[in-house]
Amino acid sequence: MDVSYDDGKTWSQTGVTQIGESGLVTLHHPQSIGYVSLRVAATDNAGNTVDQTVIRAYRLTSE
């Protein structure tokens, strides 16, 4: 899984922790206000694949 804080211009790979048949991703957001974009690619044991990118998946705001 990859994350972008500039609408997909640059991407950083994130770590995925496997928990049983699921996964957990922890993101460390920047202090600035903006949007988070997510990109994932996965393949199952049968060889099926998925690639998905969501630009501006959610917004970061100040509290």
Side-chain angles (χ1 to χ4, degrees), residues 2 4-5 14 28 36 44 47:
D2 302 317
S4 173
Y5 298 103
T14 64
H28 300 280
V36 179
D44 67 13

Side-chain angles (χ1 to χ4, degrees), residues 1-62:
M1 180 165 197
D2 302 317
V3 63
S4 173
Y5 298 103
D6 58 9
D7 291 338
K9 292 178 187 135
T10 60
W11 294 93
S12 298
Q13 190 173 28
T14 64
V16 178
T17 302
Q18 187 171 348
I19 301 172
E21 294 183 13
S22 298
L24 174 68
V25 174
T26 302
L27 300 176
H28 300 280
H29 296 124
Q31 295 295 328
S32 59
I33 296 171
Y35 293 90
V36 179
S37 298
L38 302 171
R39 179 171 71 181
V40 66
T43 304
D44 67 13
N45 291 335
N48 300 300
T49 62
V50 62
D51 293 297
Q52 186 166 6
T53 301
V54 180
I55 302 297
R56 294 191 173 197
Y58 60 95
R59 184 172 181 229
L60 300 175
T61 60
S62 63

